[in-house]
Every structure is written in structure tokens, then in C-alpha cells.
Amino acid sequence: MLMEKQIKNYLLLAVIIVLGLVLRLYRIDFPLADWHSWRQVDTAGVTREFVKNGIDLLHPKYMDISSIPSGFANPEGYRMVEFPFINGLTAGIAQIIKQAGVSGGWTEIVRLERLVSVAFSLGAILGMYLLVKEILDERIALISAAVMAFLPFNIYYSRVVLPEPKLLFFSVFSSWFCYRFIQKGKWPDWFLWIITGSLATLLKPMWLLIFGPALIWAAIRIRRGGVFNFRWGLKFALGWVAVLTPFFLWRGWIAQFPSGIPASSWLYNAGGLRWRPAWFRWLLADRLGRLILGYWGMIPFGLGVITLSGKKEDWFFHWWLFGGLIYLSVFATGNVTHDYYQAILVPVIAVIVAKGLYLLWKPPAGISQLMARGSLVVISVLTLGFSWFHVRDYFNINHPEIIEAGQAADRILPADAKVVVPYGGDTAFLFQTNRLGWPVGGAIEDKISLGATHYISVNFDEETKELMDKCPSLLKTNRFVIIDLKDCK
């Protein structure tokens, strides 16, 4: 009987993951010019350079050679942010595919990048199931996995070319292994915790703010008494040191390349947003209430918070939620500015919503089960519907002219051309050209002296018209123009 129930649960989990895969394949082949494409192309650009020039994890480069991100001239195009092991993995897969004789242009990199993100996101759903099952029970674990799989916000951010899908995978699994080590003290869990935790920290160390308080509380709560001893405590402390060491080594290395390190101090509290009314409005009302939970999802979320009792199992999620608030507070301006910063909070939101949904499925005595379950269905449909209403435009390409101009430039320009592509500093247009260059106009003579060979524009402004008068146009349509800067009057 127990075995049959376990098989049934695994089948349900498999169905959730398969449906999640199908949903994440939506528009998987679209060019990389959708929502937050400016950040996605920066990540994809590193992978593309690895494919073109060889995998060099210590010297990641991309197509932007301007001084806009860091404030320093960056003629080598260094991109020193997260340790690019995922880019190296993706580039390695691309090279294997190429060696196997499968044809495809540079756009295949975008599809491959998205598929890698999808694979990691599905793995994160599995990791979430294992973590919640370890702490609570299988029913809440399955519902949590379903919430992660089907929330439209998470569907979109599970197939983007960003570190977030991989960060979720490694941080969730690291937390699971760490929790198992806290409970049982076994060496395999310790090693796997360090490996997954190190990789998560190399991607983005802020996961420690979110998961760290819950894991430290679990260590104190579970191991206190006769179980907690000096030897185990030393292993636990050494584990955290091992998790952090690769990150500090990487940061020490990239400090040698300041031109490749984007400015980041503004992420903390630029404009004094922290804990101001605008901070609460954007993060709790707009992002959590509207975008992630589609208004109606706040009902099971609120019920889930209420059902977090004083039991030691539930206190893990109290601290996990508290860690999320710490993260939102520390990176106040970054979270208000970019909604993808909240993608890492989806797991804790999912488990709290799952507890609320289960309360509606199994209501306490005195509440009509029919009414509660009917409400569950209505709330679920409205949550997914309203969230999808707000997220659906994220998949759209609002400026197809940059795709058209970029593909034309890739066809007719030499591979070593350096292009000026005015797009307000946004690298999404520059990425389409498959060339190194500048994502902003102005100071054209200076850029020519630095090696600029062509100017590509989809906006016929005064600068573009002046260059069209002085320089020959290689290709001109009513949507874009490609100008040769090597032979100007």
C-alpha cells in the first residue's frame, strides 16, 4: 500500500515536470529581443564568444566594448560578473552539436541557452519537492512543485538566458543537502552541499541571504541538546567556509579587470527607496500581489502564512520568508528596478501558497468542504489567469526592426567589423549584429579612432542623417540603415 502510494506520488511529480516542460517551450525559438533582453544578451554574448573563440572561463568576453557598464574603456570586451561555468557548459554542448554535423547559425545559441535554463528550472522543481518533503510532507511538496511549475511569472523566468534558473537549481539543492547534513551528519550530504552551494554562490551570492537564516536556525534547533557537538559544529562551519571560498577567489581574480565589472553599488539603496512607501508598493503589492500571484493568489498565500505554526518544521519557512525580506531590503533598488530579481523568491512563495491551497482542500471542522474546494478551483484559475495576463507580453518582441537590421548586418559585414549601434546603451540591438561594438552613438570620430567600421541605426535621427550625408550607405531600407564609416567625407 505504501509502495503504491509512493509510485502514485512519483507519477504525479513526473506529470507536473512534463507539463512544466511543455509550458516552458512556448516561443523557445524566438530571437532574443523579449523582456529584459538587455541583460539576457549580455549572458548569451559570453557563450557566443566562447563558441567563436574557445572556452576561457577566466577571461569571459562579450560584444559590448563601450565604457557604459563599468565607466572604464573596455576594448577587450571583458564581462566579469558571475563565474561563467554555465556559459562554458552551454558552449561545450554547442561545440559537440556542431562536431556531430548539426547545422545552425548563431541564433541556435539562443535556443540552446533557453533549453539549458529550462532543464535547470525543471531540476529546481524536483529539488523543491525533495526539500519540502524532507521538512514537511509529500502532499505539500507536490503542491509546491506544481505552483513552481505553473506560475506564469516562473514559467517566463525559467526559460530566460539569465543566471536565475541555474541559481534556483543550485540553491534549492544546496539547501536540501545542507538540511540533510544537519539532520544526519553524513559526509555525502556535506560534500554535495558544498559543491552545489559553491556553484550557487559563484552565480549570485545573495541566495545566502534568503536560505541562510533558515539553515542556520535548523542547525541550532535540530542539533541543540546532546546531538550538537564540537566535531559536528566544526564540520558545519567548515562547510560554509568551503561554500564561500570559490566566490572570494573569483572576486579577487576579476578585480584585475575593472573595465569588465559593471557598476553595482546602485543596487543597494540608490534613491533611498529602502522601506519607503514606494518600496512596499512595488515589491509587495505590484510584484508579489499582481505579477507573481495575479491578485487572487494572495488569498492562499495569506492562509499559508497563517498556517505556519510554532512547530519546528514550520519555523524553517518562517526564517526562509524572513531571509527573503532581508534580501529585498538589502538590494532594495535592484529589486524595485528589476522584476527578475524576485525569481529567486519563487520557491518560498510556492511552499507558502501550497500550504494555503492545502488548507482549502482540507478545511478545518465547521467549514464546508464543498465551498472550500470550490473556492480553491476559482482562486487557482483566477490566479493563473490574471498572472498570465500581465506576463504574456514578456514573450513579445516589441522592436522587430532590430532583428531585421542585425541579421542584415551579420550577412554583409566582415566578421571583424566593429559597429556603432545606437540603442540607448541597451545591448539587445548590438547582440543581433553578431559583432563587437558600441550600443550608443555620439562621439563618432572618437569611436572611429578606436576601430569603429560601421554604423547601424533603426532611428533616422539627426546623427544618422548626418552620417548618411557624409558616408556611403551599404544598405538602406525604410526601417534601418547600415553605413560604412571607413570612407566618410
Side-chain angles (χ1 to χ4, degrees):
M1 184 67 179
L2 182 61
M3 181 63 71
E4 290 180 0
K5 183 178 180 182
Q6 196 68 39
I7 293 174
K8 179 182 177 182
N9 289 331
Y10 286 149
L11 287 175
L12 285 173
L13 178 63
V15 170
I16 290 170
I17 291 177
V18 169
L19 290 177
L21 170 63
V22 173
L23 292 171
R24 282 156 176 76
L25 296 180
Y26 178 62
R27 293 187 176 179
I28 200 76
D29 287 330
F30 267 40
L32 194 51
D34 49 358
W35 183 244
H36 280 310
S37 57
W38 61 272
R39 178 61 173 89
Q40 295 189 67
V41 298
D42 289 348
T43 306
V46 173
T47 303
R48 190 169 66 185
E49 291 302 309
F50 280 167
V51 172
K52 290 163 63 176
N53 303 313
I55 300 172
D56 184 355
L57 297 181
L58 294 181
H59 301 90
K61 299 178 181 180
Y62 69 150
M63 61 281 167
D64 187 357
I65 59 176
S66 74
S67 61
I68 295 174
S70 65
F72 300 98
N74 188 21
E76 296 294 328
Y78 287 119
R79 175 68 178 173
M80 298 295 183
V81 192
E82 63 273 357
F83 183 64
F85 68 97
I86 297 295
N87 303 89
L89 170 66
T90 309
I93 295 172
Q95 290 174 347
I96 292 172
I97 293 174
K98 184 177 180 181
Q99 291 172 1
V102 180
S103 61
W106 63 266
T107 50
E108 298 296 323
I109 291 295
V110 174
R111 183 188 302 121
L112 185 58
E113 284 271 21
R114 284 179 174 150
L115 289 174
V116 168
S117 292
V118 167
F120 275 102
S121 73
L122 297 176
I125 293 172
L126 173 61
M128 183 66 177
Y129 166 81
L130 295 171
L131 177 63
V132 177
K133 178 185 175 183
E134 188 81 33
I135 301 172
L136 293 178
D137 59 52
E138 196 139 25
R139 294 164 298 183
I140 302 299
L142 282 170
I143 301 172
S144 301
V147 174
M148 279 191 67
F150 304 139
L151 274 180
F153 177 86
N154 199 46
I155 290 172
Y156 179 77
Y157 281 116
S158 291
R159 33 85 72 201
V160 290
V161 188
L162 293 173
E164 271 63 24
K166 302 87 174 178
L167 177 64
L168 274 180
F169 174 86
F170 288 113
S171 59
V172 170
F173 268 99
S174 180
S175 300
W176 179 51
F177 290 127
C178 182
Y179 191 87
R180 284 168 58 89
F181 171 71
I182 291 170
Q183 283 190 309
K184 303 170 184 177
K186 294 184 177 180
W187 282 105
D189 292 324
W190 189 76
F191 282 116
L192 291 171
W193 159 42
I194 290 173
I195 293 171
T196 52
S198 299
L199 294 175
T201 309
L202 283 169
L203 287 171
K204 285 192 173 183
M206 57 272 292
W207 80 274
L208 297 168
L209 293 175
I210 302 169
F211 292 86
L215 294 172
I216 292 172
W217 171 86
I220 296 172
R221 178 66 179 82
I222 294 174
R223 304 293 299 195
R224 73 182 180 183
V227 186
F228 192 95
N229 55 61
F230 176 78
R231 184 178 178 183
W232 182 90
L234 180 61
K235 286 165 61 179
F236 188 66
L238 289 176
W240 284 113
V241 172
V243 165
L244 291 169
T245 297
F247 168 74
F248 286 113
L249 290 175
W250 172 244
R251 286 305 172 101
W253 168 257
I254 68 174
Q256 304 174 74
F257 307 91
S259 62
I261 305 175
S264 59
S265 59
W266 66 273
L267 295 171
Y268 295 97
N269 196 31
L273 284 173
R274 184 178 295 134
W275 302 329
R276 299 291 296 275
W279 182 85
F280 287 97
R281 181 255 173 182
W282 275 106
L283 298 181
L284 301 185
D286 186 77
R287 301 287 169 72
L288 177 62
R290 178 185 68 88
L291 195 60
I292 299 176
L293 294 180
Y295 307 118
W296 286 81
M298 289 299 291
I299 297 174
F301 182 83
L303 293 174
V305 172
I306 293 172
T307 59
L308 289 176
S309 65
K311 296 186 297 184
K312 67 178 183 180
E313 294 85 0
D314 282 342
W315 269 104
F316 183 91
F317 300 101
H318 279 278
W319 283 102
W320 194 357
L321 188 60
F322 179 67
L325 291 174
I326 293 176
Y327 164 67
L328 293 176
S329 300
V330 171
F331 296 94
T333 305
N335 273 286
V336 169
T337 306
H338 303 315
D339 56 23
Y340 72 86
Y341 269 51
Q342 290 91 67
I344 193 175
L345 298 177
V346 169
V348 67
I349 293 171
V351 71
I352 293 174
V353 169
K355 287 180 70 68
L357 292 174
Y358 186 72
L359 181 66
L360 291 173
W361 182 256
K362 293 282 188 180
I367 297 179
S368 168
Q369 188 177 83
L370 179 62
M371 290 296 294
R373 292 186 176 182
S375 299
L376 183 152
V377 173
V378 172
I379 289 171
S380 298
V381 171
L382 291 176
T383 296
L384 297 176
F386 280 110
S387 180
W388 170 249
F389 179 80
H390 295 295
V391 172
R392 60 180 179 174
D393 288 338
Y394 283 15
F395 295 87
N396 294 338
I397 296 175
N398 295 319
H399 296 285
E401 65 274 11
I402 70 172
I403 308 294
E404 184 180 346
Q407 291 177 348
D410 194 23
R411 286 195 307 270
I412 68 174
L413 298 185
D416 60 349
K418 291 184 179 180
V419 298
V420 180
V421 184
Y423 203 57
D426 186 335
T427 50
F429 187 7
L430 177 62
F431 178 81
Q432 313 305 325
T433 68
N434 196 20
R435 301 294 186 277
L436 303 181
W438 296 260
V440 65
I444 299 301
E445 291 185 2
D446 292 339
K447 291 181 174 62
I448 292 175
S449 67
L450 293 173
T453 59
H454 298 84
Y455 183 97
I456 309 167
S457 178
V458 294
N459 179 22
F460 293 88
D461 55 11
E462 291 302 318
E463 180 178 80
T464 303
K465 292 177 180 177
E466 182 179 352
L467 288 172
M468 290 173 65
D469 291 337
K470 295 181 178 179
C471 311
S473 297
L474 298 181
L475 180 62
K476 179 180 179 300
T477 73
N478 61 346
R479 292 164 67 85
F480 67 88
V481 63
I482 302 175
I483 300 172
D484 190 346
L485 296 178
K486 301 189 300 300
D487 190 24
C488 295
K489 297 178 184 178

